[in-house]
Each structure stands twice: as C-alpha cells, then as structure tokens.
C-alpha cells in the first residue's frame, strides 16, 4: 500500500459560506486532478487528507468527485485532528464536513481534545504512514511549511500545489 497525505493551508471556514461549490474554481480543480492522476500512476492507492480547515474540505470534495468521475480505485481517508474540531464552523460548512466524512473510506481521529500538539501529531502520522505528501499552500512559514519540512526530512516525495488568490 502506498499512501499520500494531503495538507492544505488553513483558512477560516466562514469564508466559504455561499461559495462552497465554486471556491476552488475550475483551474485549481484541474491542477488537483492532474496531481491525483500522477500520484495514482506512481502507485498511490490511498489519500489521507487532514481536514483542518476550509481548503481541505474543498480538496477532499474535489478528490471524491474525481474518483467517481474517473472511476479510480483509490481510498480516501479523512483525518481529524480532534473530535470536535468542526463544532465552531458555520452550519453549511459543517454540513459539507459531515457529508464528506460519511463518504470517506476511513476516518482517522488523532486525539479526543484540542491540544498544542495536534499539528505535530498529524505531521508525525503522515511521515510514518505515507510515501507522498501533497501540500496546497502559499509557500509561507506556518503549519504546512513544518509538515513539508518533516515530510522531506522523512524521505517522502513532496508534491506542491501553490495557492493562487
């Protein structure tokens, strides 16, 4: 089994209200489809996406739709950093979150409660269980930068998808 972890720059989920179906746009979706295809061609049979913010929700939904439309036999595992992480999200975004969770092949919950160590635990999990990492971010310092650094240090192949505002 060859897994690919997916992390995305965190964005306040309230920014997605009223734009849930069109936030990424066709160009970004096409670029993600190309990444997914290249990774599957490289032997990836599972994507593990860290659902820790708005972009991750859109990427997970894009992956699910691509998997269905292209009839690709690949698993999607959704990773929660803690049990109640979506509790403060706006209701429409929470609804998308729960719908995605229902469609995932596997749910991974790292901790019951929010802690200062949630992101470190996520990074270690991905480094230990994945061969690849897809990072969707602006390239700046922050949680995704730390994930990418650990992934490279651990020998993972890192694919990057820049965010274009």
């Amino acid at each position: 089994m060859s897994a690919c972890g997916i992390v995305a720059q965190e964005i306040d989920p309230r920014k997605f209200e009223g734009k849930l179906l069109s936030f990424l746009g066709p160009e970004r979706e096409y670029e993600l489809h190309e990444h997914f295809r290249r990774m599957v061609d490289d032997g990836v049979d599972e994507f593990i996406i860290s659902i820790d913010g708005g972009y991750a929700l859109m990427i997970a939904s894009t992956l699910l739709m691509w998997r269905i439309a292209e009839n690709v036999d690949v698993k999607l595992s959704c990773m929660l950093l803690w049990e109640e992480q979506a509790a403060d999200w706006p209701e429409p975004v929470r609804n998308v979150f729960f719908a995605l969770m229902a469609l995932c092949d596997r749910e991974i919950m790292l901790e019951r409660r929010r802690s200062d160590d949630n992101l470190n635990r996520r990074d270690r999990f991905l480094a230990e269980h994945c061969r690849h990492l897809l990072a969707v971010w602006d390239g700046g310092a922050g949680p995704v930068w730390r994930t990418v650094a650990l992934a490279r240090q651990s020998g993972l192949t890192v694919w990057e998808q820049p965010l274009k505002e």
Side-chain angles (χ1 to χ4, degrees), residues 27-41:
E27 182 180 323
R28 282 186 189 155
E29 287 182 6
Y30 175 78
E31 291 167 352
L32 286 169
H33 291 175
E34 291 299 304
H35 279 299
F36 302 152
R37 170 57 54 206
R38 282 193 297 270
M39 286 182 259
V40 167
D41 289 346

Side-chain angles (χ1 to χ4, degrees), residues 18-131:
K19 309 184 234 188
L20 286 170
L21 299 177
S22 63
F23 195 83
L24 288 176
E27 182 180 323
R28 282 186 189 155
E29 287 182 6
Y30 175 78
E31 291 167 352
L32 286 169
H33 291 175
E34 291 299 304
H35 279 299
F36 302 152
R37 170 57 54 206
R38 282 193 297 270
M39 286 182 259
V40 167
D41 289 346
D42 196 35
V44 168
D45 60 3
E46 179 184 20
F47 289 95
I48 302 172
I49 186 161
S50 175
I51 306 289
D52 56 355
Y55 281 119
L57 288 172
M58 299 304 101
I59 294 164
S61 64
T62 300
L63 178 55
L64 280 168
M65 296 308 291
W66 172 80
R67 179 174 81 168
I68 293 166
E70 298 293 322
N71 196 28
V72 178
D73 185 23
V74 65
K75 291 183 173 121
L76 175 59
S77 298
C78 292
M79 177 188 295
L80 302 171
L81 301 183
W82 70 91
E83 190 171 19
E84 298 291 326
Q85 74 182 51
D88 295 331
W89 295 356
E91 186 176 355
V93 178
R94 258 193 339 268
N95 291 343
V96 170
F97 168 78
F98 288 120
L100 285 170
M101 294 307 293
L103 294 170
C104 286
D105 299 297
R106 177 169 71 131
E107 181 181 311
I108 302 164
M109 185 175 13
L110 295 180
E111 295 184 291
R112 290 277 178 212
R113 297 185 193 336
R114 184 178 190 158
S115 76
D116 292 340
D117 198 42
N118 289 130
L119 293 173
N120 292 328
R121 287 178 55 92
R122 174 199 65 192
D123 295 348
R124 287 190 305 269
F125 182 94
L126 293 174
E128 292 170 7
H129 294 89
C130 296
R131 199 176 109 209

Side-chain angles (χ1 to χ4, degrees), residues 129-147:
H129 294 89
C130 296
R131 199 176 109 209
H132 303 272
L133 179 78
L134 172 61
V136 181
W137 62 316
D138 64 7
V144 175
W145 179 87
R146 287 190 301 273
T147 307

